Amino acid sequence: MAPWLSIFGDFTKDASAMYNNFRVYGTGLLCVMGLIVYVGVKFVNKFATVALACVIFSIIAVYAGIFNNIDGNDKLFMCVLGKRLLKDVAVANCSKDEGGILWNYFCASGECDPYFKEQNVSLVRGIKGLKSGVFFDNLLPSFLQEGQYIAYGMDPDHIEPLDRPSYNQVYADLTTAFTILIGIFFPSVTGIMAGSNRSGDLADAQKSIPIGTIGAIVTTSIVYLSCVLLFAGTVDNLLLRDKFGQSIGGKLVVANMAWPNQWVILIGSFLSTLGAGLQSLTGAPRLLQAIAKDGIIPFLEPFAVSSKRGEPTRALILTLLICQCGILLGNVDLLAPLLSMFFLMCYGFVNLACALQTLLRTPNWRPRFKYYHWCLSLIGLTLCISIMFMTSWYFALLAMGMAVLIYKYIEYRGAEKEWGDGIRGIALSAARYSLLRLEEGPPHTKNWRPQILMLAKLNDDFTPKYRKLFAFVSQLKAGKGLAVVVSLIHGDFTKRAGEAAAAKQALRKVMDDEKVKGFCDVLIASNVADGLSHAVQTIGLGGMKPNTVIIGWPYGWRQSEDDRTWHVFLQTVRHVSAARMALLVPKGINFFPAIGDKIAGNIDIWWIVHDGGLLMLLPFLLKQHRSWKNCKMRIFTVAQMEDNSIQIKKDLKMFLYHLRIEAEVEVVEM
């Protein structure tokens, strides 16, 4: 905008000088903008109106200048050697005269450069106008590799470097590609969330955000795309690719095209940049403060504090520090793709959230915008992810990894806010779908596995009586599968509901301590045997109904004053048998290993009745847990004296071989 204000010398000769200028002026401008935002959002809104008026006037001036210069103008001339663009050459010095600047450079060693001798030097108008037909020259791709010279066409003789250093020739400082152009262009349209970020300051956010967002997108898209086409039809190909304007002394091309004066563009572009920065500095701290107020990320909680005027001062300071880090980079081309990743992740997750809420039919999802459809959100999500990987696949993977870590951290913190959790909705839908699939037919024998219903007896203080029973269930499931723990309290539900809730909490605590994955419940019944029968019949849902019941051995039936203990036990056995469920009764449960113990020795299986392989499966499942991992299996079966014991042993070994179970086989004759 103002090359004469360069602090670090002529930036057209040294790119690092320009980056140092960016750092100094950018820091000063950031401080001014921070003070403006600190004054308050009302001041920013008033300034935004002034900035918007200047920007609109500047855009009109550009359009007017393009058509006013339809035949071009003589404000900008470039010095061209052959087909190559030269820099730092004044119009008066653009000649091959002996003793001139170009002659002294290319013929410094006494012998002139071959390219200089063969080619002519010419002055070329930078702004040729729409009538010149330069649009068709700019229509073709002209992507260069880093270090190649900017020249007409792609002839290697003109774009490849010379043998001697090329100080005064314009060259490509990076390899341009479609993805880099996206990275550079994308931050200019990142104001799409400005309305959402400041929704708390809007009088009617539901009405203002859709109209304002769509209006902004349509307007800016028309302006950007039309300017791309009109510039391509007005500006010479070489000047269009001279990124820093080194061939014209660092001047702005668009300013020299505008009508009536270049200062309209210089002031307009400055206010446009300032306005966009102020909008970001207004929205970002409020967004940061809102996240901090949710209380899901502990180290951000200090930024939830507001000043006496209701301004997020702490969040603003953090935002300014982050901005300063970007300014210190100097080269905004390096920062643009990284910024694009953050914005694309933001937009992608917004689209994902909208699509999930619609597909899951969440009751609190009631969009007022009538033209919305979930397909639009999925298309937006796909485009965001595609552009991320097209721009930089490793940055994309890094950004997604960070998002997953943040989500898992929030999940670990157990945050439950009014906005809910979409993943829980997905889990609910998946569970419903899976349960319905399980109902399509009975499970195959090979897919059978014990789904455990454990009937836990309670002490007088409503704590589980046999804690080792929980450890046994956990070891049997080896951390996988599902278990349901049910206890029963004798009495009237209306009177003992509070005791049932306390007993359920005690059950849940023991389950967590013993690492039992599953659910627990407490029933109240006037008759204990009937209550257990009801539990056996009704616990479970569809294909997830338990198929195996575990109950404790009735140790005190002999000492019991009445017959209730053994009567309840026998009734439960009969009910489980009638329900065609497997029954496990671990006797001497207090001598079983705890969840952290490791035992060694033999697990003996006395296989008397052919049960379909359940007795073989149980020790195999136990051995999956680290407590029983070092044990060996021995299988004993009983034969009559007249039976062929050798053949029985051989058949049993073959049976185990087909079951892929390793065990020692013994046949006991009776």
Side-chain angles (χ1 to χ4, degrees), residues 177-442:
F178 175 71
T179 54
I180 294 179
L181 294 179
I182 287 180
I184 294 173
F185 175 75
F186 191 80
S188 65
V189 292
T190 51
I192 188 173
M193 297 294 287
S196 301
N197 292 344
R198 297 172 58 190
S199 57
D201 299 317
L202 297 175
D204 188 356
Q206 298 184 43
K207 180 181 178 181
S208 300
I209 290 176
I211 296 175
T213 303
I214 294 174
I217 291 172
V218 172
T219 305
T220 52
S221 297
I222 292 173
V223 171
Y224 290 147
L225 293 175
S226 62
C227 283
V228 167
L229 297 176
L230 291 173
F231 287 176
T234 303
V235 184
D236 184 81
N237 179 265
L238 296 182
L239 183 56
L240 201 63
R241 292 189 288 148
D242 183 4
K243 184 164 66 172
F244 301 125
Q246 294 171 304
S247 60
I248 54 174
K251 299 175 183 176
L252 277 180
V253 176
V254 65
N256 285 274
M257 282 195 302
W259 180 88
N261 190 281
Q262 66 171 348
W263 282 103
V264 174
I265 298 301
L266 295 177
I267 296 173
S269 59
F270 176 76
L271 291 177
S272 172
T273 306
L274 192 64
L278 287 174
Q279 294 296 328
S280 295
L281 284 178
T282 303
R286 282 163 173 74
L287 189 62
L288 178 63
Q289 185 185 42
I291 295 172
K293 283 183 177 179
D294 286 338
I296 53 179
I297 302 179
F299 62 84
L300 289 181
E301 290 180 1
F303 299 101
V305 179
S306 298
S307 65
K308 294 180 180 179
R309 296 180 293 108
E311 295 295 324
T313 306
R314 293 184 181 180
L316 175 61
I317 293 172
L318 179 61
T319 306
L320 292 173
L321 291 176
I322 295 173
C323 292
Q324 182 61 27
C325 293
I327 290 173
L328 292 178
L329 283 176
N331 189 353
V332 292
D333 290 350
L334 299 175
L335 192 62
L338 183 61
L339 285 176
S340 300
M341 288 296 164
F342 288 116
F343 280 109
L344 286 167
M345 284 287 290
C346 174
Y347 302 158
F349 275 117
V350 169
N351 281 304
L352 177 62
C354 293
L356 286 180
Q357 297 277 40
T358 307
L359 293 174
L360 296 175
R361 293 181 173 86
T362 308
N364 66 343
W365 173 246
R366 296 181 292 272
R368 199 178 291 273
F369 187 62
K370 61 181 179 180
Y371 299 109
Y372 169 75
H373 194 271
W374 60 268
C375 288
L376 295 174
S377 295
L378 283 184
I379 293 171
L381 173 64
T382 305
L383 287 173
C384 287
I385 295 175
S386 301
I387 294 175
M388 284 176 66
F389 280 94
M390 288 170 62
T391 305
S392 175
W393 65 268
Y394 46 88
F395 272 135
L397 291 177
L398 180 64
M400 289 183 173
M402 290 175 61
V404 170
L405 289 175
I406 292 172
Y407 175 79
K408 297 305 291 184
Y409 177 73
I410 294 172
E411 189 180 47
Y412 168 75
R413 291 280 298 176
E416 290 186 8
K417 296 297 177 181
E418 65 276 5
W419 27 261
D421 184 356
I423 302 297
R424 292 181 68 88
I426 297 175
L428 182 63
S429 296
R432 171 182 169 276
Y433 173 78
S434 301
L435 286 172
L436 293 175
R437 283 291 303 273
L438 290 174
E439 283 290 280
E440 293 179 359

